[in-house]
Amino acid sequence: MKKTSTRLADGRELIYYDLRDDTVRDAADRRPLDATVTTSEIRRDPLLGDAVAVASHRQGRTYHPPADQCPLCPTRGERLSEIPDSTYDVVVFENRFPSLAGDSGRCEVVCFTSDHDASFADLTEDQARLVLDAWTDRTSELSHLPSVEQVFCFENRGAEIGVTLQHPHGQIYAYPFTTPRTALMLRSLAAHKEATGGQNLFDDVLARELAGERVVLEGEHWAAFVPYAAHWPYEVHLYPKRRVPDLLALDEAARTEFPQVYLELLRRFDRIFGEGEPPTPYIAAWHQAPFGALEEFDGVTRDDFALHLELFTIRRTSGKLKFLAGSESGMNVFINDVPPEAAAERLREVASS
């Protein structure tokens, strides 16, 4: 992997990640951009104890542009975009309309490929590995920012999810706090450790799932399963078999196998609902240990946390979406229409031939 860092016309950082070491990236951003102005603010909810990012400048962000005006495609002739070069493998840049900025953290965009009509599932194994390497590098770099406590790499795909740019891309949020969902995991981890005399909750969950009926696919270094209490109609958790706290700690064997397993998983997601169906909308979310202090989680260290990816769709059956209604949105009590065992069986049925 070759990494080249540069600046866009408004001062934002842009980084090229290339498969070839001899690739030269010296194209300049020719757009007449003013400096980016953000109004991001973190507010704490005194009742729930969680955080809300207030970012009014995002109202003006790019919204469903036509393909010939996509800001994530490479620059071609006088068609100028966020990527100054005419080609790229993987690109990461600071979001022009960030939810988090300055002392409130940082938001980045990750473009997986220059092919506007592709998806992550269309990547080659080498391309997918390059994305993994980019996620890892950004996690490392962002973790050293003084305002950052947790790094979250994720992909939203599909208009049903709320994606406003159709080009294959993901995002990275660098939060100045430990997110509420991670805090819940850490509290459960601490309670389990105390109740069992030191056992690790993530290890016990993975062992139980591997011995059960909800395994979707399994490699030498990775395992994917539908969790016992899945919140979403089709939800899969992907774990490295050797517990590590973050992407940085993955060994070379796990990095090499990841593209094979993950690409197969994504391709199965696109086959869940049968031939002729539009691509399955999904969210793919990496869960990594926070880089901040964990004193409030009794007896838990970063090494107790288990890196894993959660992949789920809001489509519950052909042509129908699962909306978060009163119980889910009002009380955070999910109701799942698809039994996890049935979801796992379906995901095994649609394996590549």
Side-chain angles (χ1 to χ4, degrees):
M1 178 188 78
K2 182 181 180 182
K3 175 183 175 182
T4 307
S5 180
T6 185
R7 293 281 171 179
L8 296 172
D10 55 8
R12 288 175 295 132
E13 185 178 19
L14 179 143
I15 307 123
Y16 294 97
Y17 293 91
D18 286 295
L19 290 167
R20 291 174 55 98
D21 290 336
D22 59 352
T23 303
V24 176
R25 299 295 185 186
D26 56 7
D29 184 3
R30 294 182 280 131
R31 297 172 298 169
L33 298 180
D34 295 328
T36 302
V37 178
T38 63
T39 58
S40 181
E41 176 189 0
I42 302 295
R43 297 188 180 183
R44 291 280 179 179
D45 186 315
L47 297 180
L48 298 179
D50 59 8
V52 176
V54 180
S56 59
H57 61 276
R58 284 174 53 77
Q59 285 281 35
R61 66 188 184 274
T62 309
Y63 187 80
H64 292 299
D68 63 358
Q69 297 177 32
C70 174
L72 305 185
C73 287
T75 290
R76 300 279 171 80
E78 295 307 308
R79 177 182 153 186
L80 309 180
S81 76
E82 288 279 67
I83 295 91
D85 215 323
S86 59
T87 63
Y88 65 84
D89 291 337
V90 173
V91 166
V92 177
F93 60 87
E94 290 184 74
N95 198 321
R96 191 176 179 187
F97 303 96
S99 302
L100 309 168
D103 292 340
S104 297
R106 176 157 155 153
C107 292
E108 298 182 340
V109 177
V110 184
C111 298
F112 303 139
T113 171
S114 60
D115 185 350
H116 181 85
D117 298 316
S119 69
F120 201 116
D122 296 322
L123 301 182
T124 66
E125 289 185 9
D126 285 343
Q127 289 174 309
R129 169 61 190 266
L130 185 62
V131 175
L132 175 64
D133 290 342
W135 282 331
T136 304
D137 181 70
R138 296 316 301 153
T139 296
S140 176
E141 293 290 330
L142 293 171
S143 71
H144 288 96
L145 296 180
S147 63
V148 172
E149 189 167 311
Q150 185 172 0
V151 179
F152 175 46
C153 307
F154 65 100
E155 179 192 1
N156 300 330
R157 188 182 82 160
E160 300 95 327
I161 294 292
V163 174
T164 57
L165 297 175
Q166 296 308 309
H167 194 103
H169 73 287
Q171 299 181 66
I172 302 175
Y173 277 24
Y175 299 100
F177 51 79
T178 296
T179 61
R181 189 176 177 88
T182 301
L184 284 174
M185 293 183 193
L186 291 168
R187 292 189 188 101
S188 296
L189 184 61
H192 185 82
K193 191 173 185 178
E194 181 178 1
T196 61
Q199 289 180 224
N200 185 278
L201 177 59
F202 290 107
D203 291 350
D204 289 351
V205 166
L206 181 57
R208 183 174 68 241
E209 293 292 357
L210 287 176
E213 58 181 319
R214 290 180 295 274
V215 175
V216 173
L217 60 89
E218 183 178 357
E220 183 179 354
H221 303 284
W222 293 86
F225 58 87
V226 178
Y228 170 75
H231 289 59
W232 299 94
Y234 291 91
E235 174 181 340
V236 176
H237 293 188
L238 177 63
Y239 277 69
K241 289 185 175 179
R242 182 180 70 87
R243 173 166 43 92
V244 294
D246 52 38
L247 291 165
L248 302 172
L250 288 173
D251 61 23
E252 183 57 31
R255 292 180 183 280
T256 299
E257 188 182 74
F258 171 78
Q260 307 162 26
V261 175
Y262 188 50
L263 290 173
E264 170 62 17
L265 194 57
L266 292 179
R267 290 161 186 166
R268 291 191 194 189
F269 251 61
D270 272 344
R271 292 193 290 268
I272 293 173
F273 304 105
E275 296 293 330
E277 288 289 321
T280 302
Y282 65 73
I283 293 175
W286 280 109
H287 292 263
Q288 305 192 77
F291 289 94
L294 301 178
E295 285 86 354
E296 64 180 291
F297 308 104
D298 295 338
V300 171
T301 69
R302 290 194 79 250
D303 288 338
D304 290 323
F305 195 87
L307 167 76
H308 63 284
L309 181 141
E310 297 184 7
L311 172 69
F312 60 90
T313 180
I314 62 170
R315 187 178 293 165
R316 58 187 173 87
T317 190
S318 179
K320 297 179 181 179
L321 301 180
K322 174 181 175 56
F323 293 98
L324 296 188
S327 184
E328 291 94 350
S329 293
M331 282 295 168
N332 201 28
V333 177
F334 276 65
I335 302 167
N336 192 349
D337 300 313
V338 180
E341 294 73 23
E345 182 178 6
R346 177 59 180 160
L347 285 161
R348 289 193 296 268
E349 288 175 351
V350 295
S352 297
S353 56

